[in-house]
Amino acid sequence: MTITFIGHGYVGLVTATVFADLGNKVWVVGHTAKKIEDLKKGITPFYEPGLTELVKKNIDAKRLLFTLDYDKSISESEIVFIAVGTPPYKTGDAQLSTVFDVSENIAKYLNGYTVVAVKSTVPPGTCKKVYGIIEALKKSGVEFDVASCPEFLREGTAILDTLNPDRIVIGTESKKAEEKLIELHKAINENFVLTNLETSELIKYASNSFLATKISFANAIAKLSELLGADGLRVLEGIGIDRRIGKAFLSPGPGYGGSCFPKDVKALVAIAKDYDYSFSLLESVEKVNDQAKRDIVRKVRKAVGELRKKKIGVLGLSFKPDTDDMRDAPAIDIIELMKRDGALIKAYDPQAIENAKGLIKDIEFAKDLYDCAKDAEALVVVTDWNEFKDVDFKRLKSLMKNPIIIDGRNIYDPEKLRKLGFTYVGVGR
Ligand code: UGA
């Protein structure tokens, strides 16, 4: 099948590449000449394990094509996916102008029956607006349908997630569009959730918000366990074994970050507000998440004392491992709070330093974990990169001014570290 993706962010580029690898001819349409020229050479705009190789393979096979031009791509495609960003306004509402702008462009070049499928995360009701825009601008006689087809891939495991989704959600009012989307997706998975537009649009927000709720619940239980002297990790393990609850997304830490959970929780609160419903549960989820970051800093203060002029090493900057994405990364707020106390920060991340430089000022960046630990009064683990797990603790201790580890992701064994002479502080333990 010939298909088009408008947008080459995580969702657009990864999904387009996977569909190309499955044998489809896939156009990816962007709007920045430099980015499209880079992509044509196989240079990807972000770090995602395995992606560059897969992009190159499919460019060579002539199945993956990058362009600035809507004309050829749209007119020869059976399905056009909209996969552009919907960043939040200050109010939390999703910005939809790019979705609507690209809908106008798509309308001009539609040629023969086409399904326009929205992959961007959009508030319920948006797909109907997309339909209205295209209907008003398309050439007469051209047939099309609109569908909602939300994406559930995670950064860091994006290719694997796209190839192994738990479900494929398709929302549309048209049987013909539904069949086209099933035909494309059935090579991946046949576990379809077939529904209408608004339901599909809401499934995406509800899914991310529920996962964020699990994380905040885990952080609240971890906090309470610390106060009660209970082992929070055992508590969460103990509840997670119950299949009705599930073990996933119950790891306490510095709170959720990234380009999705913070944005989508806020957006769902704003959507609810538009209908005079106060989604106070999600407002609390956000409060607990903010508190989780503050709690890490509180632990550093408690272990080190006054932070002024003290060197603090920060391990991990990206919002999660295996990505260079710094959007809404907990490290940003944690570092800012420590800087406010006068701490001198040296930070290390295996991939995200370049992106972090634009966001965090007046700190030093280390070349590796040991460089980060040198002369530090404490080390704070903010992101659970694998390379932080296997450490020469004796060497680490000899480099640090004070052997204090604030393990924001619970990656180390407290007993082992205490035996080696470290002061160890985890989350919930
Ligand atoms: C999330 C969802 O998991 C995807 O299903 C969805 O497609 C995506 O958002 C999106 O809407 O595009 P992602 O943001 O890539 O994916 O990363 P996650 O693995 O979900 O992690 C999000 C944040 O939660 C990270 O900061 C992570 O460290 C944190 N987290 C996750 C915890 O603090 N504890 C956990 O137990 C799990």
Side-chain angles (χ1 to χ4, degrees):
M1 201 183 280
T2 300
I3 60 176
T4 288
F5 278 81
I6 313 287
H8 46 66
Y10 278 93
V11 170
L13 186 57
V14 173
T15 323
T17 307
V18 167
F19 277 126
D21 204 50
L22 290 169
N24 300 288
K25 177 178 176 187
V26 185
W27 287 97
V28 176
V29 182
H31 70 284
T32 315
K34 164 89 173 87
K35 285 192 179 156
I36 289 297
E37 281 317 306
D38 280 351
L39 281 163
K40 282 181 181 168
K41 291 181 219 145
I43 302 167
T44 47
F46 48 82
Y47 171 74
E48 176 66 33
L51 183 64
T52 308
E53 297 78 354
L54 207 63
V55 166
K56 282 186 180 147
K57 176 185 161 199
N58 285 285
I59 292 174
D60 291 346
K62 302 200 172 7
R63 288 190 296 260
L64 187 59
L65 303 132
F66 296 97
T67 182
L68 291 166
D69 181 15
Y70 278 71
D71 191 352
K72 192 162 162 48
S73 54
I74 303 294
S75 58
E76 68 174 44
S77 288
E78 291 178 66
I79 303 173
V80 176
F81 287 100
I82 297 179
V84 296
T86 53
Y89 286 110
K90 277 210 171 71
T91 54
D93 294 279
Q95 288 185 36
L96 298 172
S97 49
T98 315
V99 172
F100 296 147
D101 289 349
V102 303
S103 303
E104 287 184 10
N105 286 338
I106 292 167
K108 290 181 210 150
Y109 299 105
L110 285 181
N111 180 23
Y113 180 73
T114 314
V115 179
V116 178
V118 179
K119 267 215 172 290
S120 307
T121 302
V122 292
T126 306
C127 286
K128 285 221 168 113
K129 290 185 187 155
V130 166
Y131 184 92
I133 290 171
I134 299 176
E135 177 66 17
L137 294 173
K138 72 174 177 66
K139 286 173 271 185
S140 70
V142 170
E143 271 189 72
F144 78 102
D145 279 308
V146 168
S148 156
C149 201
E151 183 52 58
F152 301 98
L153 63 82
R154 290 162 299 174
E155 292 182 21
T157 51
I159 295 171
L160 218 70
D161 287 352
T162 309
L163 283 167
N164 302 287
D166 287 335
R167 75 305 206 185
I168 290 164
V169 177
I170 298 173
T172 178
E173 325 294 320
S174 148
K175 205 75 208 144
K176 198 170 167 187
E178 189 176 284
E179 278 162 13
K180 261 272 157 273
L181 285 162
I182 289 176
E183 186 188 332
L184 176 72
H185 284 92
K186 69 178 180 216
I188 294 179
N189 187 326
E190 299 214 31
N191 195 6
F192 293 108
V193 177
L194 305 173
T195 184
N196 63 20
L197 289 169
E198 288 82 0
T199 308
S200 170
E201 291 169 315
L202 187 54
I203 285 172
K204 173 68 192 187
Y205 281 108
S207 179
N208 274 359
S209 298
F210 187 76
L211 292 169
T213 304
K214 278 190 95 174
I215 298 169
S216 278
F217 186 82
N219 279 322
I221 290 293
K223 174 85 192 165
L224 190 59
S225 300
E226 287 172 8
L227 297 170
L228 296 172
D231 181 344
L233 296 196
R234 288 295 278 170
V235 175
L236 291 163
E237 194 188 332
I239 67 168
I241 292 167
D242 186 329
R243 274 171 300 168
R244 292 170 303 172
I245 296 172
K247 291 180 191 163
F249 283 70
L250 282 182
S251 300
Y256 58 77
S259 65
C260 305
F261 286 178
K263 158 179 90 72
D264 292 349
V265 171
K266 277 194 178 64
L268 194 49
V269 170
I271 290 164
K273 220 170 253 166
D274 282 346
Y275 290 85
D276 289 329
Y277 176 62
S278 159
F279 210 146
S280 50
L281 174 65
L282 287 183
E283 284 166 356
S284 300
V285 165
E286 290 190 285
K287 275 189 202 140
V288 173
N289 198 54
D290 189 47
Q291 192 55 44
K293 293 181 258 197
R294 293 177 183 282
D295 247 24
I296 300 286
V297 178
R298 196 183 52 78
K299 284 173 178 167
V300 181
R301 286 189 198 117
K302 195 167 171 216
V304 174
E306 169 74 36
L307 291 188
R308 213 176 113 72
K309 300 231 162 104
K310 301 246 173 84
K311 283 191 180 167
I312 308 292
V314 172
L315 290 179
L317 294 165
S318 56
F319 80 100
K320 62 184 265 186
D322 296 319
T323 178
D324 59 359
D325 199 338
M326 283 297 299
R327 285 175 289 177
D328 262 318
I332 301 172
D333 287 344
I334 290 171
I335 290 174
E336 287 307 329
L337 286 168
M338 292 195 292
K339 269 171 54 188
R340 220 180 280 172
D341 280 6
L344 307 169
I345 309 291
K346 192 167 185 179
Y348 170 66
D349 189 282
Q351 289 291 340
I353 289 181
E354 279 316 306
N355 288 340
K357 279 180 181 164
L359 293 165
I360 311 172
K361 300 291 173 205
D362 304 320
I363 69 165
E364 253 189 278
F365 292 97
K367 63 178 193 303
D368 60 27
L369 177 143
Y370 299 103
D371 182 28
C372 187
K374 203 166 171 298
D375 300 325
E377 304 252 2
L379 263 185
V380 188
V381 179
V382 181
T383 316
D384 43 342
W385 283 92
N386 264 335
E387 71 169 70
F388 299 159
K389 293 177 186 166
D390 191 16
V391 178
D392 178 348
F393 288 110
K394 288 207 173 106
R395 183 173 166 207
L396 200 68
K397 193 174 164 215
S398 71
L399 287 168
M400 293 178 72
K401 187 163 179 197
N402 277 322
I404 298 173
I405 293 190
I406 312 296
D407 183 1
R409 295 283 184 174
N410 294 323
I411 59 174
Y412 299 129
D413 176 351
E415 283 318 304
K416 183 178 161 191
L417 260 73
R418 283 179 193 135
K419 271 193 194 126
L420 287 167
F422 283 90
T423 299
Y424 175 90
V425 184
V427 180
R429 23 173 35 178

